Amino acid sequence: MNAAPSALRDRKTSIISLGASGLDRGVESSGAPLTRLHWQPVGDGSPEVAWNLAQLIGDADDADCLGSRIDRANAQALERILAAQPTWVDVAAHASEIWPDMGRTLLHAGPPIDWKDMCGPMKGAVVGAVLYEKWAASPAEAEQLVAGGGIRFAPCHEFGAVGPMTGIISPSMPLFVVMNSAAGNRAYAPMMESGGARTLRFGAFAPEVIEGLKLIENVLAPCLKAAIAGIDGGLPLKPLISQSLHMGDDVHNRNTAATLLLYRAVTESLLKSPVPRDIVQETLRTIGADDMFFLSLSMAACKAIMDAAHGVPFSSIVTAMARNGVNVGIRVSGLEGQWYVGPADVPVGLFLPGFSEADANPDIGDSAITETAGLGAFAMAAAPAMVQFVGGTPQDALRYSREMAHIAIGRNPGFTLPMLDFIGAPVGIDIRKVVDEGRRPVINTATAHKEPGMGIIGAGVVQAPMKCFVDAVAALATIAVS
């Protein structure tokens, strides 16, 4: 009768701990095997957040409940994402050709922001754009014009566009034009400047910056317009991106392979064109000298993909994540027209010699559209060499891609990850899953100096603030009682 209890007493006990770690210190000191499960209640224990989330959960036995309607809407939005076929079809000589009523409007990265609230790099880029447009003759005059309300500001995303870092688009700037041939929607992005720190996207506005913008306007744009005109049907970007993932890119912070593939396509077209050889040489030199040149097309492609999924009633899928150097904003498919905003963090990673976190501006740029579409940090398993740029180990690159699958509703079979047995990259960030898991989307990014024109000072990873997703969940939950 006593044999069984005796056997149990002699068996070594293993413990699983769930909850406050301080309660299991006694067990740990006894030497018993201990496994801690890292868990925290939804919304840091907020009953309101938990209730909002509960209203959005699907019910297999109730097809008419809000959660079930959201599930069906998400399936529809995901179908649009996977069906999208972004294709580079044109170069607009000037942004004003796309938006004739633009007037004295400057588009910027991230959610809406006023001049007085802008960070240093954004203000510097605004001054540079005003000088480029010849709306003012000096930086002081430009600041006076802006401070007096002479310039209107709007997010790039609200115009179907995306811009790197400060993301400034002014009326005279040329734009890549990318069309989603599956749905017909278009997206736009400015061309990447050469020059490192001396670029508008980092807030510089010296004369050489304006000269660089004029080079794009007068040389690169006409040449690349001729190049794409010589490619029948345009250049499909989805297969190019897919191939670059297999060549070590994440197509956000590493675009080496994608730029080379673009270089090949452009060269073949220009060799058949009547464009003067010196113009061709200058254009190819510019592309070949900048491994990040493809980023503009990558961002426009992802914007075209995600805009196809925007505006699906009840969908909880994030269709944009964008940062203005002060705040991060998200847009949600089923909450069309609204931004949900939280404070931007400083990226955690590596700094160039002589710089530290004290010099860094909080996260900035529209380039997180790549993560929103399943690239960037979501596909970092394809680019383990990225850790030499953003910090960490190759295992971290694999981990990011694995972890982001927990907050996505599907995988993209068009964007496969060789290091993870060619599984599709996770795609379709669900605001419900972000809040339920307590897991924020990861973004890999360059780090800008907080002062205008100082340029890139490092790179790292950063997470979108939870506030964006909690507020979006609350907004979606109000549909249940409206």
Side-chain angles (χ1 to χ4, degrees):
M1 293 290 292
N2 294 327
S6 177
L8 289 174
R9 284 195 301 270
D10 295 337
R11 185 180 301 167
K12 194 168 186 178
T13 302
S14 297
I15 308 296
I16 296 177
S17 172
L18 176 65
S21 59
L23 299 178
D24 53 35
R25 287 175 185 160
V27 174
E28 187 176 32
S29 65
S30 72
L34 174 65
T35 300
R36 289 191 175 97
L37 298 183
H38 297 284
W39 174 86
Q40 63 184 37
V42 170
D44 291 329
S46 166
E48 180 182 3
V49 174
W51 174 241
N52 287 337
L53 184 63
Q55 295 179 81
L56 307 184
I57 303 302
D59 184 345
D61 296 324
D62 186 357
D64 294 325
C65 76
L66 179 58
S68 295
R69 298 175 76 177
I70 291 172
D71 289 340
R72 291 195 298 273
N74 285 350
Q76 181 183 353
L78 180 62
E79 183 179 353
R80 294 184 185 183
I81 292 170
L82 300 184
Q85 295 294 332
T87 304
W88 174 29
V89 294
D90 198 6
V91 171
H94 303 105
S96 58
E97 293 180 5
I98 306 297
W99 308 293
D101 298 329
M102 195 172 180
R104 288 193 172 185
T105 298
L106 295 180
L107 308 186
H108 62 77
I113 191 167
D114 294 327
W115 164 257
K116 62 181 177 59
D117 299 320
M118 289 180 181
C119 65
M122 185 79 79
K123 285 188 172 182
V126 167
V127 169
V130 170
L131 296 175
Y132 168 67
E133 293 292 342
K134 298 182 178 179
W135 295 336
S138 69
E141 187 180 325
E143 290 194 32
Q144 184 178 13
L145 174 67
V146 178
I151 303 297
R152 187 170 74 95
F153 297 105
C156 291
H157 272 288
E158 293 183 2
F159 280 65
V162 279
M165 302 307 291
T166 61
I168 297 296
I169 298 175
S170 71
S172 297
M173 291 182 183
L175 299 175
F176 282 120
V177 181
V178 172
M179 182 178 71
N180 170 18
S181 58
N185 61 292
R186 296 189 172 213
Y188 311 93
M191 295 182 189
M192 293 290 288
E193 308 158 80
S194 299
R198 296 181 299 277
T199 55
L200 191 78
R201 69 180 184 273
F202 282 108
F205 51 83
E208 60 265 29
V209 174
I210 309 305
E211 291 173 10
L213 294 173
K214 288 297 181 183
L215 175 70
I216 292 174
E217 181 182 351
N218 298 322
V219 177
L220 263 67
C223 187
L224 290 175
K225 187 177 182 70
I228 194 59
I231 301 175
D232 188 31
L235 182 65
L237 297 177
K238 192 170 183 178
L240 191 154
I241 290 171
S242 178
Q243 186 176 358
S244 70
L245 288 173
H246 292 183
M247 298 169 68
D249 283 353
D250 73 323
V251 211
H252 181 177
N253 271 287
R254 183 180 171 91
N255 284 273
T256 305
T259 298
L260 288 173
L261 294 173
L262 174 69
Y263 186 96
R264 181 175 69 181
V266 166
T267 300
E268 290 175 356
S269 179
L270 288 176
L271 287 175
K272 299 179 291 184
S273 77
V275 178
R277 295 302 94 177
D278 59 333
I279 299 297
V280 171
Q281 289 174 354
E282 180 67 16
T283 298
L284 294 179
R285 184 198 64 78
T286 302
I287 297 173
D290 186 359
D291 286 349
M292 292 296 288
F293 190 85
F294 185 79
L295 177 60
S296 294
L297 282 167
S298 172
M299 290 171 59
C302 292
K303 175 64 172 169
I305 290 171
M306 298 312 298
D307 271 5
H310 194 62
V312 178
F314 299 104
S315 174
S316 60
I317 288 180
V318 175
T319 52
M321 286 193 298
R323 311 94 85 205
N324 59 29
V326 176
N327 294 313
V328 178
I330 65 170
R331 301 209 303 171
V332 180
S333 177
L335 298 169
E336 191 173 4
Q338 298 297 316
W339 285 96
Y340 299 91
V341 177
D345 290 332
V346 172
V348 176
L350 303 178
F351 289 95
L352 297 175
F355 298 104
S356 70
E357 185 177 342
D359 305 304
N361 199 83
D363 198 21
I364 187 170
D366 284 337
S367 57
I369 190 65
T370 57
E371 275 81 6
T372 317
L375 299 173
F378 281 56
M380 203 162 156
M386 272 288 299
V387 299
Q388 294 179 307
F389 186 50
V390 301
T393 68
Q395 288 302 314
D396 290 325
L398 301 179
R399 177 172 58 83
Y400 293 136
S401 292
R402 290 191 180 107
E403 288 183 351
M404 291 302 95
H406 290 283
I407 60 173
I409 69 165
R411 292 185 177 274
N412 193 335
F415 296 154
T416 56
L417 309 176
M419 293 294 288
L420 294 179
D421 296 327
F422 291 93
I423 194 169
V427 68
I429 300 169
D430 186 344
I431 59 172
R432 300 176 301 173
K433 291 191 173 193
V434 172
V435 176
D436 189 28
E437 292 272 344
R439 196 187 303 262
R440 298 183 287 160
V442 175
I443 303 163
N444 62 31
T445 184
T447 304
H449 198 287
K450 62 187 178 183
E451 298 298 331
M454 293 293 290
I456 183 172
I457 62 170
V461 296
V462 69
Q463 294 175 295
M466 183 60 74
K467 183 180 185 300
C468 302
F469 303 91
V470 169
D471 290 351
V473 162
L476 197 56
T478 61
I479 297 176
V481 294
S482 61

